[in-house]
Amino acid sequence: MTMKNNFTLIAIVATLVFFSCQTKPNNSNNNTMDKEKIKSEIIQTENELLETYRQGDFMKALAIEVESPDFRAIVNGRIDNYSTLSERYKKVAAEKLVRSMDYQIETQDFNFINADNVLVTLRVKLVTTMSDGNVSSKPLAETILWQRINNVWKLGHYHATEIPIDNSRK
């Protein structure tokens, strides 16, 4: 084999190896569009949920959560499953303890696990209006797992922790 033939053979092999190792082109526009679509669907569902809280309709809010033994809502260390959370919502509704709750979102980040599971982290200000008119406000850090089930976004896991207020800055 001549030097020219060796070079040609190496060039052909290198080209074949190069192209065979290439993955399908990453069409980032499609990924971005899919993520943006998913994000807008979740934000729409989130807004529906927040509106039910603003109206004080806690039982309607419960319908947006996954009715499953695996569901958990953890608030400041208190762990509720779907059943215990449902009982608490029924009590609040029956006794009309809370008139409304409003979540004012300060920051929100989306972590796409896959097309049907999205982890959202938030920093919110929760403003609660009690039935007697008293209003309280507290900052919260939240993590929400949104799950698409039968093409409907549901709240699959919720965790919130009250953020301590730094009084030294006042």
Side-chain angles (χ1 to χ4, degrees):
M1 239 184 188
T2 66
M3 182 67 130
K4 184 177 179 183
N5 288 346
N6 284 341
F7 179 77
T8 305
L9 182 61
I10 290 171
I12 291 170
V13 170
T15 303
L16 290 173
V17 168
F18 176 77
F19 284 109
S20 69
C21 291
Q22 292 294 310
T23 58
K24 292 181 182 176
N26 182 6
N27 188 345
S28 60
N29 288 339
N30 283 345
N31 289 342
T32 302
M33 286 175 43
D34 290 343
K35 286 181 180 180
E36 288 304 314
K37 181 177 184 248
I38 291 168
K39 185 176 173 180
S40 72
E41 290 172 354
I42 290 171
I43 288 172
Q44 180 180 347
T45 303
E46 188 175 70
N47 287 336
E48 292 168 11
L49 177 65
L50 296 179
E51 188 56 35
T52 63
Y53 283 129
R54 288 181 188 115
Q55 295 171 2
D57 191 349
F58 298 100
M59 296 315 293
K60 187 175 180 182
L62 190 65
I64 295 175
E65 295 164 357
V66 174
E67 187 173 353
S68 163
D70 297 328
F71 172 84
R72 294 292 179 274
I74 305 167
V75 179
N76 287 333
R78 180 187 175 135
I79 302 171
D80 281 307
N81 59 30
Y82 186 87
S83 177
T84 59
L85 186 65
S86 176
E87 290 304 314
R88 286 199 317 116
Y89 278 9
K90 285 177 187 173
K91 181 178 179 180
V92 167
E95 296 178 13
K96 300 188 186 310
L97 301 172
V98 177
R99 185 181 306 155
S100 69
M101 295 184 342
D102 188 20
Y103 286 84
Q104 299 164 1
I105 298 172
E106 296 174 3
T107 63
Q108 184 174 37
D109 294 304
F110 290 77
N111 180 359
F112 295 87
I113 299 167
N114 58 40
D116 295 324
N117 294 281
V118 178
L119 194 63
V120 180
T121 55
L122 305 104
R123 183 180 177 120
V124 302
K125 183 170 131 184
L126 171 63
V127 179
T128 305
T129 304
M130 304 304 286
S131 58
D132 62 6
N134 284 330
V135 177
S136 68
S137 174
K138 59 178 103 175
L140 299 174
E142 299 182 336
T143 303
I144 299 172
L145 175 64
W146 288 101
Q147 297 178 302
R148 185 174 13 212
I149 300 170
N150 298 325
N151 217 25
V152 175
W153 286 103
K154 296 280 194 174
L155 195 151
H157 180 89
Y158 175 78
H159 182 249
T161 302
E162 199 170 327
I163 300 170
I165 297 173
D166 185 358
N167 291 324
S168 66
R169 294 185 182 185
K170 291 183 178 183

